[in-house]
Amino acid sequence: QAKKGGRNTLLFYDPAMQAALEQRAALENDLRRALLEDQFVLYYQMQINRDGRIIGAEVLMRWQHPLRGLVSPLDFIPLAEETGLILPIGNWVIETACAQLKQWEADADKSVLQLAVNVSARQFHQADFVQQVDQAICRHRIAPNRLKLELTESLVLDDIEDTIVKMHRLKEIGISFSLDDFGTGYSSLYYLTKLPIDQLKIDQSFVRNIGLTQSDAVIVQTIIGMAINLNIESIAEGVETEAQQAFLETHGCHVYQGFLYSRPIPRTEFERLFERMRQKPPTLPRAKLLN
Ligand code: C2E
Ligand code: MG
Ligand code: MG
Ligand code: MG
């Protein structure tokens, strides 16, 4: 069965496509409701320094869907970007992270923790992004250097003029920046020196292959060396084995994140883990801390 739809277009009835469209519409509908009904939660994945101390966490979003259970950001961020829902959702993440930082300020040890928040392209490039971040920081009265924004190379290059202006304005406020999934994009050395970047985050695809693929080990080593020469920090994401950690340590990587230390976990669990590590500081070589 075919029917005429608009000029020169024939719409064919395709049950599979129809089902996919309906599923997408349902998901979009659910996503709209999720914000109103408070179904999003933040998970925290610790980041540790060379001494094995927790210096902060990456904030990773989860959607507690009433029927589907815990939904991965990989399954809803793209739709949120397409529909523009990422604007209120992304703002909620920043707000919640700032509120968390404020709460930790009351505790001497936790007050030094940094939170790294992922920012999507559409969110960053919206007109009032700088203002939103500034307002969140002022409203919660937190030290701006506790907030780190994770930007991907593609976001940065999407609209390089806008990026340069906004990053410098945010930097003036005191925000720091990590370049996420580094090595997978096309950023040139030229831009790296033009942007106020504090940290290069080595993509987990390279970290995973450290002991397996010689070229990936070379890439990891090169990124760490580049960070050292640019006088910025390097962080490895997706560290899963002691062998990967040892390689990273040998080459001078500054900060570590991955399942070897902890998976992303809810706030209360993260706080408990932090307390446990505070009482018993890790000894070198670092043992597996939690999984
Ligand atoms: P990402 O920012 O590159 O985050 C790293 C991802 O790697 C996370 O997946 C994390 O759970 C996972 N991971 C961490 N350690 C390991 C490891 O040792 N092994 C393996 N195999 N994986 C590890 P997750 O939480 O599913 O997030 C996926 C992506 O969704 C993130 O990639 C980020 O791009 C996006 N995302 C998450 N939260 C937010 C958010 O609040 N806002 C925006 N715009 N994007 C977000
Ligand atoms: Mg990230
Ligand atoms: Mg990443
Ligand atoms: Mg990644």
Side-chain angles (χ1 to χ4, degrees):
Q1 193 192 355
K3 74 180 180 201
K4 198 95 166 147
R7 262 192 320 160
N8 303 330
T9 30
L10 274 176
L11 295 179
F12 290 93
Y13 180 71
D14 174 346
M17 191 190 276
Q18 185 67 25
L21 282 173
E22 274 167 19
Q23 213 185 359
R24 188 184 181 283
L27 190 66
E28 183 180 339
N29 205 39
D30 286 0
L31 203 51
R32 277 182 205 288
R33 197 151 11 129
L35 207 54
L36 301 170
E37 299 189 356
D38 219 18
Q39 294 170 0
F40 293 117
V41 276
L42 297 186
Y43 273 41
Y44 299 81
Q45 188 178 32
M46 66 155 94
Q47 300 181 336
I48 65 171
N49 66 10
R50 291 176 68 86
D51 301 329
R53 291 190 186 279
I54 302 183
I55 58 159
E58 178 175 8
V59 167
L60 294 155
M61 202 181 187
R62 301 288 181 262
W63 178 10
Q64 186 63 65
H65 190 284
L67 300 175
R68 296 162 190 252
L70 216 55
V71 184
S72 153
L74 298 173
D75 295 328
F76 67 87
I77 297 280
L79 184 64
E81 276 245 325
E82 261 179 69
T83 55
L85 284 167
I86 194 65
L87 302 182
I89 293 174
N91 198 33
W92 176 85
V93 175
I94 291 173
E95 277 291 325
T96 310
C98 288
Q100 187 56 65
L101 286 166
K102 184 67 200 175
Q103 208 190 315
W104 284 340
E105 255 185 25
D107 176 292
D109 290 337
K110 292 195 195 94
S111 69
V112 299
L113 294 175
Q114 264 199 335
L115 284 180
V117 170
N118 292 284
V119 177
S120 83
R122 187 150 172 191
Q123 185 187 359
F124 182 84
H125 292 302
Q126 71 178 307
D128 61 350
F129 180 72
V130 175
Q131 219 175 308
Q132 273 188 12
V133 174
D134 192 31
Q135 278 171 4
I137 280 174
C138 292
R139 193 175 315 125
H140 295 281
R141 279 176 286 131
I142 55 157
N145 64 355
R146 298 285 162 243
L147 185 66
K148 186 182 291 175
L149 299 181
E150 293 200 0
L151 311 180
T152 60
E153 286 172 277
S154 68
L155 174 155
V156 164
L157 295 178
D158 249 7
D159 183 347
I160 187 71
E161 299 307 322
D162 187 56
T163 301
I164 290 174
V165 170
K166 282 186 175 150
M167 281 183 80
H168 280 102
R169 281 170 59 199
L170 288 162
K171 191 75 215 169
E172 277 166 32
I173 296 171
I175 306 291
S176 48
F177 290 102
S178 182
L179 206 47
D180 202 358
D181 303 340
F182 189 73
T184 59
Y186 301 95
S187 49
S188 69
L189 283 171
Y190 173 77
Y191 285 128
L192 282 187
T193 62
K194 292 294 166 235
L195 298 170
I197 294 164
D198 302 275
Q199 185 181 68
L200 295 182
K201 192 165 197 177
I202 308 164
D203 191 71
Q204 53 182 291
S205 59
F206 305 120
V207 175
R208 187 179 307 134
N209 289 334
I210 278 173
L212 307 169
T213 317
Q214 176 63 17
S215 60
D216 284 345
V218 169
I219 289 174
V220 169
Q221 193 180 334
T222 305
I223 295 174
I224 296 170
M226 202 155 83
I228 291 170
N229 290 324
L230 290 169
N231 203 18
I232 58 183
E233 214 173 67
S234 55
I235 174 170
E237 71 174 0
V239 182
E240 291 185 354
T241 69
E242 310 239 351
Q244 291 163 355
Q245 175 188 288
F247 180 92
L248 292 158
E249 273 181 331
T250 303
H251 291 93
C253 184
H254 300 101
V255 187
Y256 307 75
Q257 179 185 343
F259 293 172
L260 179 61
Y261 318 103
S262 168
R263 289 176 179 268
I265 46 182
R267 191 203 85 223
T268 49
E269 254 181 79
F270 175 78
E271 288 174 343
R272 235 179 291 141
L273 183 58
F274 182 85
E275 296 295 338
R276 240 190 295 153
M277 282 180 66
R278 161 158 74 182
Q279 282 155 18
K280 201 165 126 311
T283 46
L284 287 173
R286 293 201 288 272
K288 197 163 171 172
L289 299 168
L290 177 105
N291 251 326

